[in-house]
Amino acid sequence: MSTSDIGNNVVFKKQLGLNYEIDQKYVGLKMKENNILSFNFRAPGDMINEVEDYFKRFKMGEPILVDIGGTGDIRCEFKGLSPVLKNKDALDQYFISATLQEDKQYNPLEEEKCETCSGCGFH
């Protein structure tokens, strides 16, 4: 992929390599005040269950990296997850939203770093 090409996937990265990759056609992004990012997922039920299960692993304020289309990691903190809603007009389409806050000033303390860090991207 050349430097001007943007991929089709969004990758959410939790520490220790627990990643979730999804085609961006299922993801909408809204930017709000105070660096708040709302990732809105519209997808079939089985895929929404995967999204929900992934984000339920996070605690409030936990760091998360997001790579949109291979453009590089965005450092964020997890802020919350909406309930799953069913689209009344579609047979098998559901909606869920994950709220993150972009962390432009994150600088981990030495004791926060992984003991065996090999460039995990969180520090």
Side-chain angles (χ1 to χ4, degrees), residues 61-123:
E62 186 175 345
I64 180 173
L65 300 175
V66 183
D67 182 357
I68 302 170
T71 58
D73 291 333
I74 301 168
R75 291 181 192 268
C76 297
E77 288 182 1
F78 180 74
K79 292 298 180 184
L81 186 65
S82 75
V84 173
L85 301 174
K86 181 166 182 1
N87 184 340
K88 295 174 186 164
D89 300 327
L91 183 60
D92 187 33
Q93 188 178 55
Y94 296 83
F95 172 84
I96 193 169
S97 179
T99 304
L100 310 178
Q101 184 170 26
E102 187 175 3
D103 186 1
K104 295 186 176 199
Q105 308 221 346
Y106 180 71
N107 191 7
L109 300 172
E110 195 63 35
E111 55 269 10
E112 287 180 309
K113 295 181 180 180
C114 299
E115 291 178 14
T116 59
C117 185
S118 59
C120 68
F122 285 93
H123 353 89

Side-chain angles (χ1 to χ4, degrees), residues 17-47:
L18 299 172
N19 299 342
Y20 183 72
E21 187 169 345
I22 186 169
D23 192 305
Q24 67 182 352
K25 72 181 180 182
Y26 298 111
V27 184
L29 173 62
K30 288 187 180 181
M31 298 183 77
K32 301 178 181 182
E33 292 182 30
N34 298 324
N35 301 322
I36 298 292
L37 305 172
S38 178
F39 286 89
N40 304 308
F41 301 87
R42 291 188 193 283
D46 58 337
M47 189 176 291

